Amino acid sequence: MTETDIRLPIVAALTEDLDTGFVALFDGYRNVVFSAALRLCGRWADAEDLTAEAFLRAYRALAGYEPQRIATLQPRPWLMTILANLWRNTARSAARHPPPAPLEQAPEAVDPAEPTEQVAERSETGRELAALLGELTEDQRLAVVLRHVADLPIAEIATALGVPEGTVKSHISRGLKRLRLLYPGRHDERL
Amino acid sequence: MSAFEPTDPQASGRHDPLVAGLAALATDAPAGLLDRVAARWVRVDASIGGVYVAMTDQGIAYLRTGQDEEQFVASYRSRFARPLLPGGSPPSALERALRTGRAAGVRLDLRGLRPFEEAVLRAAAAIPRGEMRPYAWIAERIGRPKAVRAVGTALGHNPVPLLIPCHRVIRSDGRIGQYVFGERAKERLLRMEEVNLDEVNTLAAKNVHFVGSDTTGVVCFPSCRDARRITPAHWHGFRTLAQAESAGYRSCRHCRPGAAVVP
């Protein structure tokens, strides 16, 4: 299914009834929003909070939108804008008020809130790579996660982040370059 | 594992292990995440008839009677600005609480209330079935003795009447005062709980607001279960608590008329 196939019935449902439409919006985009949230903040429980808060803000915004605005809505980049802003704000306020004693909360540690089958499914490699995302700048991490984890096209990322496509591309290529440096060929010489 | 379909498989660089590794970091959202955002509504039979109840993953957030489905949903949305979906199944503790008026064990979601409002409601929640306390008692219990009027406002803003029994809070002069669902509903609820409403009113008209027993030396609010057991031969009425105390009476530990001392 392409993004257009997913988008049309959701926008139609939102025009019909906000709450029913919201469930369609949530079902259509929860996986992509949660994946992006998880790889942005790095912790399962925080990703749940971030996803729930992003969808709640989306609902509150939609409640104030004119039907015309809903009809032209591009839900995926729009949700990603909300998520990116939320993540940037929480990351900043966390930097101002660091949580106490993060000894057992290193980003690569297994999150106790993450279901065990999920943990087992993820390879050691995946966990290491996920942790390395924390080494990128905010802009690089957002661009890399939206492009390669959430699988958004460049144009949508540019819309979501409010920057030109060229800027998105350069964040992605710098981000990938840094990841290759940090993660030298353990399994493959090109990595 | 693919959590969602790739839109652009050619460009996703399937031969680049780093890109493939990043793609594999996509994951499905955990089940139940929708309940973090949206509440569910359900209609439940209560002692005063059918009520609509909204529940979140934290507990009961909103309860209203005298509204149809559409009005209930609209009033929930305008107050909480959250999606409200049909199809919650009421916890058994809720149905029991609404039938019996005993709400212990029902989880409540009181997020969104100001700290003062929450303190008022938690104090009101401690009033047992079949008894009443004045607004001023709540104000004193929460350490804001002068905020009697604000207590009334906070009770009027109670999102979960019946479960937090704000109908058991009345005026110091013995009149029952206002109620979210109207004064008549308040009186009906109190009579269903077999509160000695008429006796309290008669006493209030005679300026009696506290009653004591000279066998126990304890002074109570007139609706306290202990007060109602005092035999006429040992019954004494008082206008103020100070009068009772200077006559050697101590405050009842159940109804705690001397509520100024916050535990």
Side-chain angles (χ1 to χ4, degrees), chain A residues 40 76-88 138-147 152-165 167-169 171-172:
Chain A
L40 287 173
R76 193 166 63 176
W78 179 72
L79 286 167
M80 290 304 173
T81 305
I82 297 173
L83 180 72
N85 290 338
L86 262 178
W87 173 67
R88 281 189 157 128
E138 268 188 17
D139 288 336
Q140 290 169 0
R141 189 172 190 173
L142 268 169
V144 166
V145 165
L146 293 187
R147 179 67 198 94
L152 264 65
I154 301 286
E156 263 189 50
I157 301 170
T159 309
L161 302 181
V163 295
E165 291 190 19
T167 311
V168 173
K169 284 182 191 159
H171 286 324
I172 294 171

Side-chain angles (χ1 to χ4, degrees), chain B:
Chain B
M1 177 178 59
S2 167
F4 37 84
E5 310 237 350
T7 51
D8 198 4
Q10 259 65 47
S12 68
R14 65 177 66 200
H15 301 302
D16 181 339
L18 175 62
V19 167
L22 287 167
L25 291 179
T27 182
D28 282 342
L33 199 54
L34 181 59
D35 294 326
R36 296 275 305 270
V37 187
R40 305 263 174 191
W41 70 260
V42 74
R43 191 178 153 87
V44 187
D45 282 325
S47 53
I48 54 162
V51 298
Y52 285 99
V53 176
M55 304 170 287
T56 70
D57 60 336
Q58 305 288 303
I60 311 298
Y62 197 51
L63 182 154
R64 283 296 179 266
T65 183
Q67 294 180 327
D68 63 22
E69 181 191 321
E70 207 172 309
Q71 290 168 325
F72 174 74
V73 169
S75 70
Y76 175 87
R77 277 180 205 156
S78 70
R79 178 164 174 163
F80 295 90
R82 273 175 188 273
L84 180 61
L85 311 172
S89 59
S92 58
L94 171 69
E95 294 186 299
R96 196 171 54 246
L98 291 176
R99 246 189 354 258
T100 64
R102 293 184 179 86
V106 178
R107 286 201 313 147
L108 300 174
D109 179 357
L110 298 181
R111 291 174 298 175
L113 291 174
R114 293 197 305 268
F116 176 82
E117 292 175 321
E118 191 178 337
V120 167
L121 293 177
R122 294 213 181 274
I127 308 171
R129 182 189 150 86
E131 299 189 17
M132 304 184 295
R133 305 284 183 270
Y135 291 102
W137 176 82
I138 302 251
E140 285 179 8
R141 281 211 70 176
I142 63 169
R144 299 282 302 277
K146 290 190 175 137
V148 180
R149 189 179 283 269
V151 165
T153 308
L155 291 171
H157 200 233
N158 182 2
V160 285
L162 306 179
L163 299 174
I164 289 180
C166 54
H167 61 277
R168 294 177 193 150
V169 187
I170 62 159
R171 292 165 47 128
S172 299
D173 64 8
R175 283 156 61 191
I176 66 168
Q178 296 179 327
Y179 185 49
V180 218
F181 300 153
E183 260 180 75
R184 281 174 61 191
K186 188 172 189 174
E187 183 172 344
R188 232 173 89 218
L189 277 166
L190 290 169
R191 291 200 187 280
M192 271 192 291
E193 294 185 2
E194 296 175 341
V195 179
N196 52 345
L197 202 52
D198 298 321
E199 188 188 352
V200 170
N201 272 304
T202 312
L203 291 174
K206 293 187 218 159
N207 250 325
V208 171
H209 300 294
F210 302 93
V211 301
S213 155
D214 62 19
T215 50
T216 59
V218 169
V219 61
C220 302
F221 284 117
S223 66
C224 174
R225 58 178 184 264
D226 290 353
R228 294 174 70 177
R229 282 205 294 264
I230 304 171
T231 55
H234 299 287
W235 187 98
H236 295 273
F238 301 95
R239 190 167 61 81
T240 65
L241 190 62
Q243 281 178 352
E245 282 168 345
S246 64
Y249 287 79
R250 69 154 177 87
S251 276
C252 170
R253 291 201 179 94
H254 293 133
C255 66
R256 305 166 68 156
V261 188
V262 178

